[in-house]
Amino acid sequence: MADQQIREEIRAVLETFSHSPKAHVQSFGCQLNFCDGEKYKGILQDLGYELTDTPEEADVILFNACAVRAHAESRVIGRLGALKAIREKNPRLVVGLCGCMAEEQAVRDLLKKSYPFVNLVLGAGAMERLPESLMAVYRGQKRAEALAFAGLPDETLPTVRESTFQASVPVMYGCNNFCTYCIVPYVRGRERSRTPEAIEAEVRGLIANGCREILLLGQNVNSYGRGLETEMNFPALLRRLDAIPGDYIIRFMSSHPKDATPELIDTMLDSEHIEHHLHLPVQSGSDAVLKAMNRRYTAEKYLTMIDYARAKAPDFGFSSDLIVGFPTETDADFEETMRIIEYVKYDNLYTFIYSRRDGTPAAEMPQVSTEEQIAARMARLLARQKEICEKWNARFLGKTVRMLAEKRSPETGLLLGKTREGLVIEVPGGESDIGSLLDVRVTGVKNWALSGEKQ
Ligand code: SF4
């Protein structure tokens, strides 16, 4: 919570406004960033701002942005530029950039040089310093900057949840893995875990308030617990949360394959509430590329986890991230990636063309393929994955699955949700079904989803 004195000072400033003060927060990037965005909203609401979706009517605009992909960063910079006109009309407007993008020196230099109207910069781990930074701007400081990513966020920070039935709960922050293409360890710092007591208390509170889906988040949840005073690993945390009584499901992401263990799979399969789906980012099927990426597993080692899970639960769902066009990737390496997708039969694949990030080791590696070769590989991968999915999804035809009805499709009006195995499913249903766990008989299969009828 904001320091009482700062809070009172900000409230005194807000009382001088001729209108009710408003704040607009926009988050970009990964789930963890969206989760941070809910905390920025909570802090601003606690300070006395009303939240608004319209930047033009806001007195504080925060862009909570992600550093992972260069293209996404350029889009955020473009959107920031568009705020200049709003700031000119409202000189008291506070425009802030926060999140891991703000941790990059090159970004801060660019803001200083070309976007002087951005008067607040907050790093990914500095969210509790939002009140003091805001107050510094109200006192007349040209730009308030707070950077930090070493500790854990204050457990008492208020949160404005986007949904009443789905909630994200971070279990750990940062990453120690230093994959050669990734900027995260440089902008989010080293791994640190929340205590199991704090996580359990938050999850219990959410379930007591009717939450139906808890999404546990971390850059690598499988290294949860390292550095805690009491001995703890991620499967043990899952078992502790699964013991909370109630009608809910637990999902989690992301899992680094080098740290995924049979104990994790056994825990998932023995649980009452945990999904039977693992997002296990393989990134490439080639051992040479995996080595150049510093992923610290081989394709064969990766597949042992797939085999272990499927031997125990043949319908177990897997999804993955895949990078196409890593600098050292040749056509022969790409064939190994195709081999992996044929073998695993992923239910969902998140595919990315390699994005060069300055400051990472991969940025110094010469690119061995042309843009045309990379685009052709991507097209082939997507086309084949579509065919595989359509066939593989048919394993559910005629079976009864459990889904959380999340929303209504704007195109078809059908309810959309996910099965315990992580597959998208659509069913006819009413408004009152949204937010409920439903038993559904699968009657149809598409390449991207199942369809069914409520039981
Ligand atoms: S595990 Fe690798 S890809 Fe994932 S956040 Fe850490 S360094 Fe980045």
Side-chain angles (χ1 to χ4, degrees), residues 36-279:
D36 288 350
E38 294 183 333
K39 291 206 167 71
Y40 286 118
K41 286 184 182 177
I43 297 169
L44 288 163
Q45 198 176 62
D46 179 60
L47 290 170
Y49 296 89
E50 188 187 318
L51 298 172
T52 175
D53 290 334
T54 315
E56 288 76 12
E57 62 176 27
D59 301 285
V60 175
I61 300 176
L62 288 190
F63 277 9
N64 174 32
C66 168
V68 172
R69 277 170 230 296
H71 176 65
E73 259 191 23
S74 319
R75 269 187 27 230
V76 171
I77 293 287
R79 292 228 203 155
L80 265 181
L83 297 181
K84 190 176 176 201
I86 309 179
R87 173 79 199 282
E88 274 165 7
K89 278 191 209 144
N90 177 5
R92 290 183 95 176
L93 175 68
V94 179
V95 177
L97 177 73
C98 43
C100 52
M101 187 171 156
E103 295 285 354
E104 287 179 86
Q105 183 65 49
V107 169
R108 294 199 303 277
D109 291 345
L110 177 71
L111 293 181
K112 210 172 265 176
K113 194 168 146 234
S114 312
Y115 300 84
F117 59 91
V118 176
N119 45 11
L120 195 149
V121 177
L122 276 185
M127 65 177 81
E128 49 265 73
R129 293 177 62 189
L130 174 56
E132 70 183 63
S133 305
L134 258 178
M135 196 55 224
V137 173
Y138 285 142
R139 283 195 200 107
Q141 196 169 312
K142 241 172 130 191
R143 170 175 294 160
E145 246 183 44
L147 305 171
F149 49 61
L152 288 163
D154 177 352
E155 289 290 347
T156 64
L157 285 179
T159 299
V160 172
R161 301 255 180 212
E162 298 288 327
S163 162
T164 53
F165 58 88
Q166 290 177 296
S168 300
V169 175
V171 299
M172 48 94 63
Y173 295 87
C175 182
N176 290 358
N177 289 313
F178 290 93
C179 301
T180 56
Y181 53 85
C182 181
I183 200 169
V184 165
Y186 308 95
V187 291
R188 286 218 173 238
R190 300 298 94 76
E191 288 169 4
R192 59 262 181 216
S193 297
R194 290 176 70 197
T195 64
E197 291 77 18
I199 297 166
E200 184 183 334
E202 183 174 352
V203 171
R204 276 188 184 276
L206 287 163
I207 293 166
N209 284 326
C211 189
R212 291 280 181 250
E213 180 186 285
I214 307 289
L215 175 63
L216 305 177
L217 293 176
Q219 240 73 51
N220 175 17
V221 290
N222 292 332
S223 56
Y224 172 79
R226 285 182 201 153
L228 283 176
E229 278 172 17
T230 44
E231 200 162 306
M232 192 75 191
N233 67 8
F234 188 59
L237 176 72
L238 286 176
R239 289 191 288 272
R240 186 169 173 154
L241 299 178
D242 184 51
I244 302 172
D247 196 15
Y248 64 93
I249 45 175
I250 296 177
R251 301 189 187 279
F252 59 87
M253 66 189 303
S254 279
S255 286
H256 195 302
K258 79 175 167 50
D259 299 317
T261 57
E263 185 194 1
L264 174 71
I265 302 286
D266 292 343
T267 301
M268 295 167 81
L269 293 176
D270 292 344
S271 75
E272 184 185 344
H273 302 105
I274 303 164
E275 60 180 348
H276 290 181
H277 157 247
L278 190 57
H279 181 68

Side-chain angles (χ1 to χ4, degrees), residues 181 281-285 290 293 295 297 320-324 337:
Y181 53 85
V282 68
Q283 306 298 8
S284 169
L290 289 172
M293 288 176 165
R295 293 290 286 174
Y297 53 84
S320 182
D321 298 336
L322 253 173
I323 296 174
V324 177
T337 295

